[in-house]
Amino acid sequence: MVWWGIAGGVDEIVRYTYRLRPGVQAQRSLSQEWGRCRFLWNEAVHQHKVGNKPTLAKLGKLLTELRGKNAWMREGSQVAQQSMVRSYAQALQHSFTVKGRGRPTYKAKKRTWASLEYNTRGFSIQEGRLRLPKGVSIPVVWSRELPSEPTSVRVYQDSLGHWYASFVVRREVEPAPEATGGIGIDWGVSATATTTNEHYDLPYLGHRRRCAAELAKAQRTMACRHRKGGKQSKGYQRARRRAAKLHKKAARQTQHDSRVWAKKVTDTHDLIAVEDFHPMFLTKSTMARKAADAAIGAAKRELITIAERAGRKVVLVTPAYTTMTCSGCFARAKQAP
């Protein structure tokens, strides 16, 4: 499950994600639908580059023109294409409001994975199967029941080629346990999170480091089997999937540990002071690999999201001098000469 939104009243909006088992025909239909939506996204990016700033109204007209001129665009679902238009408008607006975030860029065929959005007009659930426009029916692995009728669904593909359906639903809010006291959290690399109470520290676990040898072997196999130009062999695809599987396994382990740690901190504190640390600059340093393994940004997001959903007070602290300032008397240590 992926947390989404903030709890309001007695209900909260969340995402429930399930594995899909599409057949050959369904996979072909999904890939073709993604090709149309990707073309629409790239056309909107092109219009922006040539100076025609696309608003939501202009994007709607662009979609109408493309469907009128191209028969292959009309063969796709209008619901999915309209959702892609809205996603582009939101991404463009987000780039204007968030400092340092660039505007949307082209979606390359070889470097982006399929992601399709459908509202209630574009999907239904019948006999345990997800039914999409144009007669696409996909079996769903129902690992648990949906708490309510879904209002939308996102069908996407991961790096392993697996397909998933993420439903937006409402469920009752589970009351958080009573808690008192506060805690301060400082981010790092040798220890992912250092707190004012050592019992709540999050150590560097190094999941990617443990599978580094196996990952390097898979990447060497990819390099040996890679063809310059043309379609890649099945051996190369197997090696690529093996490397992607190792990456995903380490990422899931890190995400699970971050969620368990964030839940532990949230259940026992009502005030959480978090260093507003941005680890992007570490990617250009000698600590890039270890910083990526620590996943500081992911742990920070999990903590803030879970704490806000539990009704805790979260304070973002400017990272300047946080390592040099005493949390008790607020005295600042002198810098080394």
Side-chain angles (χ1 to χ4, degrees), residues 89-99 101-102:
Q90 292 173 0
L92 189 61
Q93 181 65 27
H94 191 57
S95 67
F96 294 147
T97 56
V98 179
K99 183 180 179 181
R101 186 178 181 87

Side-chain angles (χ1 to χ4, degrees), residues 17-24 26-35 38 107-118 130 132 138 153-166 237 240-241 244 248 252:
T17 304
Y18 302 87
R19 178 77 181 273
L20 298 178
R21 302 286 187 184
V24 176
Q27 289 190 45
R28 184 180 295 111
S29 298
L30 291 174
S31 299
Q32 292 174 351
E33 191 67 65
W34 168 241
R38 189 176 60 84
K107 291 183 180 292
K109 182 178 180 180
K110 294 183 178 180
R111 295 194 300 271
T112 54
W113 301 104
S115 179
L116 303 168
E117 292 276 354
Y118 298 93
L130 175 64
L132 301 176
I138 308 173
V153 64
R154 180 166 66 95
V155 179
Y156 66 93
Q157 189 180 27
D158 66 357
S159 59
L160 295 176
H162 299 161
W163 289 90
Y164 295 88
S166 181
Q237 298 297 340
R240 186 194 63 80
R241 285 175 57 84
K248 190 169 185 178
R252 282 178 168 175

Side-chain angles (χ1 to χ4, degrees), residues 266-317:
T266 302
D267 288 346
T268 52
H269 301 88
D270 62 349
L271 174 61
I272 304 175
V274 183
E275 179 189 9
D276 194 13
F277 181 69
H278 301 279
M280 183 63 68
F281 74 94
L282 291 176
T283 59
K284 300 180 181 180
S285 67
T286 57
M287 298 183 292
R289 179 175 295 180
K290 193 172 183 180
D293 196 358
I296 299 173
K300 176 184 170 185
R301 286 192 300 271
E302 292 290 347
L303 176 63
I304 294 175
T305 303
I306 293 177
E308 289 180 345
R309 294 178 74 86
R312 310 305 190 197
K313 184 177 180 181
V314 180
V315 180
L316 297 180
V317 182

